[in-house]
Structures are given as structure tokens and as C-alpha cells.
Amino acid sequence: MPKIRVLIVDDSASVRQTMATILGEDPAIEVIGTAADPFSAAKRIQEQVPDVITLDVEMPRMDGITFLRKLMVQCPVPVVMCSSLTENGSDTLLQAMEAGAVDVILKPRVGVADHLAEHHLQIRDVVKAAARARVRGRPGKPVPKAEAPATKLTADAMLPPPSGKAMSRTTEMVVCMGASTGGTEALREVLEALPANSPGIVIVQHMPEHFTRAFAQRLNGLCEVDVKEAVDGDPVLRGQVLIAPGGRHTMLERQGARYYVSVRDGPLVSRHRPSVDVLFRSAARAAGSNAVGIIMTGMGDDGARGLLEMRQAGARTFAQDEASSIVFGMPKEAIARDAADRIIPLGHIARELLTATAR
């Protein structure tokens, strides 16, 4: 199977070199070129259209967001934005996602090369996920099999498996959702369709730190439900959505009939922090049949095991269908494990969520 062809666009020569080395060492990826600015990138694309572009935000002659918008009109290609790890830049990156970027790689302002090298597995995974993404009518590209993946920690690293049934169904329900590549816009569509009195919702969307706070603030301005980044000890309330903060795991806990979240440090689980598997397992333990689990668009298998544990504990479970998923990785893995009661399109998730939690 042909390799994934990647074009790296960044005004930093050291970043271009480091990214080229990281990606080029994966036998499933071929770096077909680098460019220091969008104008040079455009010439490269005319010569050979890549399968994925990694694109810096701040560049001379033309910024990355402007180039991205032009690219999505003229030559839709999956784009991964590459930007400095700053809270102020989060709004810009959200604009990039709205403009068509499928994911984000964050880099610090100092020690960039060392940081990128340390996160080489994550960077390769992001690029492979982007290659599978459907971009404005462009079908996703199959990803060739490469070297065996490195050992991944499971949710056992954070909490033990469920033991027996959680408490029986009560008057309050809680919804747990997980998403990754393509999830920012998919979650927006679901949450915008919910009324103000919706059941309490906890979400893990694979995002770096800082980004999740800006994401929650943006959704809060668009939705009838209240949306905020989760803080340790936050209660799960009707009409409120809690977004797991980037860089920390978020778990559902119970005290009597009251639900709240625990936000903790910990190792990467399924190569992610926060991890959907961790949230779903905690829901299976704490809520059982009082929970609804929903797994959405994303690359990899994070959440598949946890969703099965939720179903086995009596929860209602749903997976987003292939046709509406930007990347049909996480839902596909959950479906393969028979973890989903139903497979539903994105446009029906809000309605099914409300039906499943209605008394």
C-alpha cells in the first residue's frame, strides 16, 4: 500500500528538520517536501498533492489560517495545524478547526525540537489519523500497516475494572461522551441541538492543555446548556456540560445519588490524557445503568473497552456511524467489540441521547 505523503510547512528550519525526521522514520509515512511559507507550499502542492499537510500558524508573507481557508476551497487536503503552546493562541486554533483543520500539534516556544522528538509517537498518530479524515468531499485514505505499535497502558493504570453492578437506576441520568479527530465540530453539532434542561454530560475530547478551556468557552456561547472546563470536584448537574481538561484524566465519581468529577494527573492511557477509556470505566463503576455512553469520530481505539464495560454494567451505549464520522476509528473499534447498543449518525445523537435519558 502506498505510503502517506506529507508536506511540512513551517518557517522554522529546526522544526521542519525535526518533523521530517520524526515522520520519515515511520515506514508508513513519506515526507515529500518542506516549505518555509504558504507561497512555497503552494508551489510544492502544484508539483505533487500530499495526503496530509502539517501547517504552522504564524508565518511570514501569509498566516497559516488564511492559507488553510484558501487550500480548502482550491485543493482540499487534510491539514494538521502546528502552533505554540499558548492559551492566547487557542482561539486561533479553534478558528483553524472551523476552517477545516482536522487536528492540532502543539509546540512550546522554547525547546521545540526536544519537545517534538519526545512526542514522536503522538505526532505520527495524528498524521495517520489525518490521512484517514474525510475533508469536504475527499474520501479518507487507507493507512498502511507499519511497525507494531508500542505497548499502550489501559484504564487499569488509573482505576480498577468494574466489580459487579453499580447502583440501580435512579431519577437522574448522566451522559459520558468521547471523541478525537473531527470531534470538535461534531460535539458542537450535538450540544447545539440540546435543550437547556438536558441531563448532565461529561466529555473527553482529545485536546492539549489550554485548548480545552477555549473550546468549552466557545461552546458555552453557542449552546443552551452551560459548558465549562471541568475542575476537580465539579458536580454533574442537569443543564451543564463538563469538558475534561487537556493533560489530565477526568473520572466520574458518586457520593450517594450525587455525581461529581475527579480530575487527576496520571500516565497516558491508550496514548491519551485525558482518555475516553478512563472516563467510560469510571462511569461503569459509578453509574452503571444510570449512564449513557457515546463514542464518536476519532482515530485509534481509546474508549472502545470502556464503552463495553459501560454496556456490561447496564448503561445504554451508542457509536457514531461511519458515514458521518470524520475518522471512523474509535467507533469502529467499539462496534467490533460489540460495545454499542446502536450505531447512529451524527445528526441523530442529540435526539437519541434525550430519549435514552428520559423517564
Side-chain angles (χ1 to χ4, degrees), residues 57-79:
V57 174
E58 300 176 359
M59 290 181 292
R61 302 174 70 188
M62 181 186 293
D63 66 271
I65 305 296
T66 300
F67 179 63
L68 172 65
R69 292 191 176 114
K70 293 178 180 292
L71 187 69
M72 289 299 104
V73 172
Q74 300 173 14
C75 181
V77 173
V79 172

Side-chain angles (χ1 to χ4, degrees), residues 28-95:
I29 299 172
E30 177 187 3
V31 177
I32 61 171
T34 65
D37 60 59
F39 290 92
S40 301
K43 292 180 180 179
R44 290 276 189 177
I45 294 170
Q46 288 176 351
E47 297 168 0
Q48 185 178 15
V49 178
D51 298 311
V52 178
I53 296 174
T54 66
L55 179 62
D56 190 16
V57 174
E58 300 176 359
M59 290 181 292
R61 302 174 70 188
M62 181 186 293
D63 66 271
I65 305 296
T66 300
F67 179 63
L68 172 65
R69 292 191 176 114
K70 293 178 180 292
L71 187 69
M72 289 299 104
V73 172
Q74 300 173 14
C75 181
V77 173
V79 172
V80 175
M81 301 304 296
C82 199
S83 180
S84 297
L85 184 61
T86 63
E87 189 167 5
N88 293 335
S90 298
D91 288 336
T92 301
L93 291 176
L94 286 173
Q95 292 176 24

